[in-house]
Amino acid sequence: GEDVEQSLFLSVREGDSSVINCTYTDSSSTYLYWYKQEPGAGLQLLTYIFSNMDMKQDQRLTVLLNKKDKHLSLRIADTQTGDSAIYFCAEISNFGNEKLTFGTGTRLTIIP
Amino acid sequence: DAGVIQSPRHEVTEMGQEVTLRCKPISGHDYLFWYRQTMMRGLELLIYFNNNVPIDDSGMPEDRFSAKMPNASFSTLKIQPSEPRDSAVYFCASRSDSSTADTQYFGPGTRLTVL
């Protein structure tokens, strides 16, 4: 089946930029997503990118997509303590296929 | 809108008991999804419905699991009999047929512990 991989942990100093990386195997991905999960909560959609885009910026968030290398990244500028959470990369492929494939999640820890 | 609503938020039960998890999707959404999250397997899609009809249940672990959607505003996931390995967080999600980027919206989850 399709696979989405992420590193498990990332620690960043408050005020620095965080970069969370994701690789995927599905060459027919149509949309790729970043979800945020805070302790005891559900998944909150942060942003998404269509597979024919290279970059998307939304306030402090920048998503970069390298379709050739099947690499997706999420950059959070000026990281704050409220950004501490687990971040999931997910992809969906083919029109009419509803299956979201999630990565393992990256736990982002902010160092004061 | 209140978002996706799930109940209960926490459930503790003993092995062999029946467990019923409930979900109310966002009003007007056509799709409803049930996911399970565990440390070992991450997030897995169990089943999804379109217009109240089950479309893909290939992720349902075994016959002990069943899901229904009797109307557009309610779905249940039932485990009978429950086993300790069913302990997990169960999420419900929904989306509209016209959602931008096919975006799914998640509920807060039900944390199930089977003793």
Side-chain angles (χ1 to χ4, degrees), chain A residues 33 35 37 40 42 45 48 98, chain B residues 9 37 95 100-101 103-104:
Chain A
Y33 309 85
Y35 281 88
Q37 185 179 29
L45 177 70
Y48 65 89
E98 297 297 325
Chain B
R9 292 295 311 278
Q37 184 180 36
R95 81 162 181 90
T100 303
T103 301
Q104 296 180 21

Side-chain angles (χ1 to χ4, degrees), chain B residues 20-23 25 32 34 47-49 52-54 60 65-78 92:
Chain B
T20 300
L21 311 182
R22 297 173 175 80
C23 174
L32 184 140
W34 282 101
I47 185 171
Y48 78 90
F49 297 82
N52 313 339
V53 176
M60 295 285 261
F65 285 69
S66 62
K68 293 182 180 179
M69 192 164 185
N71 57 63
S73 58
F74 183 65
S75 176
T76 59
L77 177 68
K78 187 175 292 187
C92 177

